[in-house]
């Protein structure tokens, strides 16, 4: 059965919005070429989306830069304000952007391990409030029908731990501070009109690497997170796989040789984490006599790996990188044997610091351990991938909600 005229219009409008989201501003002629629609159909959708306040003329293109065919249409940036949060055990980073992702404010706050739950939650929520106020000061004033700049439309939150696939909430975990779970509820209370979306940090990093980083050309890959802790995200045929309980990628619990025991249901000591977590990498480097000073925003392991990469001709640095590649290959080989992803991205701060030098070493070892051809790539986004993925998730959700609202309003 052919689609009704209203359904066809909605499909065309969604396609155009998706193109404007990923490609940036386009002319009507470019929309016609990319959508395959007729000129009248493109003219109609441009008129509908402009009238609904979703797109606007943002400039002109072409040599002459004048006339109706030169108009560049883009998503209305100040239609909504978004916040992205990267929640770590040691602190929170937040950025606030407009609807097209232009960053208006960014801030962070450290939260020590001895900070009480209530104090930690208040520090994190106050951080979001301050960033939103700063964004209000630098952003465009709200237009008619748009949310005020002082009120967030959508929050994308990246956190360690398991996300319940049924409720979308962060599950209780003995390995994480209590303020993590309290934070989401507090944000709901402080910003009752905003939509809050919670996702595992490694999953968000994979989304960002797929959209803007090392896996842009891959529909199937595994991201191996290497930061303070370890984790993995699995993308198969373009879709993020979370598992029955939200636990896909808990590779820190993977039993591997070379540790002093086996992991338990509540503790990943003895698992892959004991070989590839930041503390384990630091201990490995110390065995080779290597030292480095880490920046305040990175694990010490990243500084050690970067220092070794910068001095590859020294015996200690080469020995350390070879030993680290041996460890990483154990986790990567297990994933490759089960999933055959064709590509493994070494993510997080450590993966980015290791770059091609470390990735090539892991590739060489994988070829010896696994019969399946696998490309190993270094992260492009590093630790910033979590925040970027949270923002992309918030943008997608906000644009979809605003689009759906506009079409409900216009429906006959």
């Amino acid at each position: 059965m052919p689609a009704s005229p209203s359904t066809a219009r909605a499909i065309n409008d969604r396609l155009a919005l998706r193109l404007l989201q990923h490609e940036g501003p386009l002319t009507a002629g470019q929309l016609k070429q990319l959508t395959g629609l007729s000129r009248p159909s493109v003219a109609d959708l441009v008129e509908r989306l402009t009238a609904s306040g979703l797109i606007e003329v943002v400039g002109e293109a072409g040599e002459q830069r004048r006339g109706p065919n030169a108009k560049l249409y883009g998503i209305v940036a100040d239609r909504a304000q978004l916040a992205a949060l990267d929640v770590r055990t040691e602190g929170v980073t937040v950025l606030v952007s407009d609807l097209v992702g232009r960053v208006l404010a960014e801030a962070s706050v450290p939260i020590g391990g001895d900070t009480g739950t209530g104090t930690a939650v208040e520090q994190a929520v106050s951080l979001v409030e301050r960033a939103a106020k700063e964004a209000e000061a630098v952003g465009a004033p709200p237009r008619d029908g748009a949310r005020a700049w002082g009120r967030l439309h959508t929050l994308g939150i990246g956190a360690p731990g398991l996300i319940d696939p049924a409720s979308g909430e962060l599950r209780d975990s003995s390995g994480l501070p209590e303020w993590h779970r309290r934070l989401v509820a507090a944000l709901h209370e402080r910003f009752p009109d905003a939509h809050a979306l919670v996702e595992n940090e490694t999953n968000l990093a994979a989304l960002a690497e797929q959209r803007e980083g090392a896996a842009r050309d891959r529909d199937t890959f595994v991201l191996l997170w290497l930061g303070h802790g370890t984790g993995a995200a699995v993308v198969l045929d373009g879709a993020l796989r979370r598992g029955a309980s939200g636990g896909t990628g808990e590779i820190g619990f993977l039993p591997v040789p070379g540790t002093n025991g086996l992991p338990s249901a509540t503790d990943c000591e003895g698992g892959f984490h004991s070989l590839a977590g930041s503390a384990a990498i630091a201990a490995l480097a110390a065995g080779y006599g290597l030292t480095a000073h880490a920046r305040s925003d990175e694990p010490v392991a990243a500084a050690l790996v970067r220092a070794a990469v910068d001095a590859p001709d020294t015996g200690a640095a080469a020995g350390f990188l070879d030993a680290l590649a041996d460890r990483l290959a154990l986790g990567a080989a297990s994933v490759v044997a089960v999933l055959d992803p064709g590509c493994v991205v070494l993510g997080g701060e450590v993966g980015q610091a290791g770059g091609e030098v470390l990735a090539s070493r892991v590739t060489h070892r994988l070829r010896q351990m696994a019969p399946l051809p696998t490309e190993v790539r270094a992260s492009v986004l590093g630790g910033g991938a979590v925040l970027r993925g949270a923002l992309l998730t918030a943008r997608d959700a906000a644009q979809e909600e605003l689009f759906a609202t506009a079409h409900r309003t216009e429906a006959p």
Side-chain angles (χ1 to χ4, degrees):
M1 176 181 294
S4 66
S6 61
T7 300
R9 288 195 298 269
I11 293 173
N12 292 342
D13 290 356
R14 285 178 187 273
L15 176 58
L17 285 170
R18 190 173 298 113
L19 287 168
L20 291 170
Q21 176 185 351
H22 293 296
E23 302 294 333
L26 299 168
T27 65
Q30 290 170 327
L31 282 170
K32 175 182 179 298
Q33 181 180 8
L34 292 171
T35 61
L37 298 171
S38 66
R39 189 178 301 275
S41 294
V42 170
D44 287 344
L45 74 83
V46 166
E47 182 178 355
R48 282 193 304 274
L49 294 176
T50 302
S52 67
L54 291 173
I55 70 172
E56 63 183 349
V57 177
V58 296
E60 294 184 332
E63 294 182 2
Q64 299 301 319
R65 293 188 178 274
R66 62 174 180 267
N69 293 331
K71 291 181 178 179
L72 275 171
Y73 295 93
I75 293 173
V76 177
D78 55 1
R79 184 70 184 265
Q81 187 184 70
L82 315 172
L85 283 78
D86 182 0
V87 180
R88 306 284 180 103
T89 55
E90 67 279 0
V92 177
T93 300
V94 60
L95 66 79
V96 179
S97 82
D98 59 22
L99 192 57
V100 299
R102 182 172 68 98
V103 176
L104 305 172
E106 187 170 2
S108 62
V109 60
I111 298 178
D114 57 349
T115 305
T117 297
T119 301
V121 170
E122 183 57 34
Q123 287 179 345
V125 173
S126 296
L127 182 75
V128 179
E129 287 184 320
R130 291 197 303 271
K133 289 178 180 178
E134 181 181 339
E136 182 179 357
V138 301
R143 58 185 71 200
D144 293 341
R147 288 177 182 265
W149 269 101
R151 299 172 65 188
L152 296 177
H153 184 285
T154 304
L155 297 94
I157 305 168
L162 303 182
I163 309 299
D164 190 315
S167 66
E169 297 179 352
L170 187 64
R171 293 173 55 185
D172 189 16
S173 172
S174 59
L176 297 175
E178 175 64 22
W179 66 265
H180 279 200
R181 297 184 71 248
R182 297 274 191 90
L183 175 60
V184 177
L187 289 169
H188 276 299
E189 182 177 344
R190 196 70 59 92
F191 304 101
D193 295 329
H195 306 285
L197 308 171
V198 187
E199 181 58 270
N200 174 268
E201 59 178 356
T202 307
N203 288 344
L204 290 177
L207 170 64
E209 293 285 0
Q210 185 182 34
R211 293 268 288 269
E212 301 178 346
R216 284 190 297 267
D217 60 338
R218 305 292 306 200
D219 287 331
T220 295
F221 70 99
V222 168
L223 180 130
L224 191 62
W225 179 261
L226 303 168
H228 286 287
T230 58
V234 178
V235 177
L236 301 178
D237 299 324
L240 183 68
R241 306 297 181 176
R242 296 178 176 83
S245 61
T248 295
E250 288 296 312
I251 198 170
F253 288 86
L254 179 73
V256 290
T259 65
N260 294 324
L262 291 173
S264 69
T266 58
D267 190 351
C268 59
E269 277 302 316
F272 182 64
H273 173 82
S274 296
L275 295 183
S278 182
I281 294 174
L284 177 66
Y288 285 88
L290 300 179
T291 60
H293 295 288
R295 300 190 300 260
S296 60
D297 60 342
E298 70 175 357
V300 65
L304 289 163
V305 170
R306 186 168 54 251
V309 168
D310 290 340
D313 295 331
T314 65
F320 164 65
L321 291 172
D322 286 340
L324 178 58
D326 288 339
R327 293 183 174 194
L328 299 182
L330 288 175
S334 299
V335 170
V336 167
V338 174
L339 297 175
D340 186 21
C343 177
V344 172
V345 176
L346 302 182
E349 295 91 346
V350 174
Q352 185 181 42
E356 178 58 29
V357 172
L358 182 59
S360 63
R361 280 171 158 83
V362 178
T363 297
H364 174 70
R365 285 153 179 78
L366 269 183
R367 288 174 181 165
Q368 297 175 324
M369 298 171 64
L372 307 175
T374 306
E375 182 180 5
V376 180
R377 300 178 180 180
S379 168
V380 170
L381 303 174
V386 177
L387 203 61
R388 192 62 195 167
L391 179 58
L392 290 170
T393 298
R395 277 180 57 195
D396 290 347
Q399 290 181 5
E400 179 65 22
E401 193 273 337
L402 291 169
F403 170 79
T405 300
H407 267 266
R408 284 196 299 269
T409 302
E410 296 173 359

